[in-house]
Amino acid sequence: MTEQHRNADAYPQRIVCLTEEPTEVLYALGEEHRIVGISGFTVRPPRARKEKPKVSAFTSAKIDEILALQPDFVVGFSDIQADIARELIKAGVEVWISNHRGVDGILAYIRRLGAMVGAADKADAYARQAEQHIAQVQAAAAQFRQRPRVYFEEWDDPLITGIRWVAELVRIAGGDDVFPQMAAESLAKHRILADPGEVVRQAPDIIFGSWCGKRFRPEKVAARTGWESIPAVRDGAIHEIKSPLILQPGPAALFDGLDALHAVIAQWVERRGG
């Protein structure tokens, strides 16, 4: 056995990804051959849905089907997947549950996952590409003479505000999140707005919506009692960001998600003379 072959065998060969972001990262690194199962919510990259069996949702998983794939490594995200992780660990499977919540955490996640599969150099290059993209958007946003106040809605019933990496990306894109203190809360239950009138009082210039798992309805947002006085509602500045682009703590948010936020904010600024 060659040294190269021994080194290759030292890394996981059969990986199950319980969420989309490890799948997207591994495909981007050219390591997709290691993946034997993915989340049913995976849409990036599109070919993954055709090539890999879907064995999990977000809060549930087909444990027997996962075990039948004989994984030597399972990757998941957050405390919400603790029960899935426990069942797999009890069955003798090695499991890594990441719990990053900010932009820096996403970048570190890319590097860490790459290192775990023996692709540290490729992962570092990919993370540096993301860092360069972030810096470019940030530099463009620094030229804005005005910064809009932004309300990001992650769910509508109850109202849930955006998580930390979303608030950070809004800031990078050129806006200011109107609920920064809530964005620091990692759990959705701690980001619930008990009083929808609080959004009215914050008077955001732009409203972004990304309702995880269902289509965002701007007309429903605009029709909420008392919201007609909000600048974003009055000016028709209510925009959807597709959840796969922004609510996955992976590459999509740093590239397409950030670009989508920046495009809307730049348009708002342009309409007000820069």
Side-chain angles (χ1 to χ4, degrees):
M1 182 183 293
T2 66
E3 183 67 27
Q4 183 178 7
H5 194 188
R6 283 198 298 272
N7 288 342
D9 285 349
Y11 299 102
Q13 304 296 310
R14 301 183 62 79
I15 301 175
V16 168
C17 301
L18 299 177
T19 53
E20 182 178 70
E21 60 275 4
T23 299
E24 186 174 13
V25 170
L26 292 173
Y27 267 85
L29 300 183
E31 298 294 332
E32 66 274 13
H33 59 279
R34 299 177 186 274
I35 302 173
V36 295
I38 64 173
S39 163
F41 290 122
T42 300
V43 297
R44 294 170 62 99
R47 57 183 276 219
R49 291 187 65 83
K50 301 175 183 177
E51 297 174 347
K52 308 295 182 180
K54 294 174 279 295
V55 294
S56 72
F58 188 53
T59 59
S60 63
K62 302 170 183 176
I63 300 297
D64 290 343
E65 291 186 25
I66 291 175
L67 296 178
L69 292 171
Q70 298 182 308
D72 52 12
F73 194 49
V74 172
V75 184
F77 173 72
S78 92
D79 48 292
I80 294 176
Q81 294 194 321
D83 290 343
I84 301 171
R86 183 177 63 247
E87 291 301 311
L88 293 171
I89 292 168
K90 284 168 61 177
V93 179
E94 183 175 350
V95 179
W96 177 43
I97 298 292
S98 63
N99 206 25
H100 53 287
R101 302 290 172 152
V103 169
D104 285 346
I106 297 174
L107 292 164
Y109 173 83
I110 291 170
R111 290 185 165 101
R112 194 172 298 127
L113 180 57
M116 287 179 172
V117 301
D121 290 345
K122 289 191 291 185
D124 183 60
Y126 188 41
R128 280 189 280 108
Q129 181 184 347
E131 288 168 339
Q132 290 167 3
H133 182 70
I134 290 167
Q136 290 169 353
V137 174
Q138 199 161 27
Q143 304 303 311
F144 294 161
R145 301 170 92 180
Q146 301 179 66
R147 293 179 64 88
R149 292 170 55 77
V150 175
Y151 167 58
F152 189 99
E153 186 171 287
E154 192 175 304
W155 193 247
D156 65 324
D157 186 21
L159 299 189
I160 298 178
T161 63
I163 199 166
R164 178 179 155 195
W165 72 77
V166 172
E168 291 176 352
L169 290 172
V170 165
R171 186 164 58 250
I172 291 166
D176 293 312
D177 180 18
V178 297
F179 295 112
Q181 74 284 2
M182 298 188 75
E185 298 287 350
S186 63
L187 300 180
K189 66 181 180 181
H190 294 150
R191 287 182 278 112
I192 293 174
L193 283 177
D195 177 13
E198 186 61 26
V199 180
V200 179
R201 289 186 284 276
Q202 291 296 329
D205 300 297
I206 298 173
I207 293 175
F208 287 113
S210 188
W211 297 345
C212 188
K214 68 179 181 180
R215 185 167 66 89
F216 178 63
R217 301 285 298 277
E219 70 279 7
K220 291 186 66 175
V221 173
R224 290 172 183 164
T225 302
W227 282 40
E228 66 277 359
S229 65
I230 296 175
V233 175
R234 185 185 63 228
D235 300 338
I238 307 175
H239 303 270
E240 178 179 22
I241 305 292
K242 299 292 186 182
S243 57
L245 299 186
I246 197 72
L247 295 185
Q248 300 281 4
L254 305 186
F255 290 100
D256 293 353
L258 176 57
D259 285 350
L261 292 170
H262 182 65
V264 170
I265 292 172
Q267 184 182 56
W268 181 92
V269 172
E270 183 179 357
R271 286 176 177 172
R272 282 151 185 79

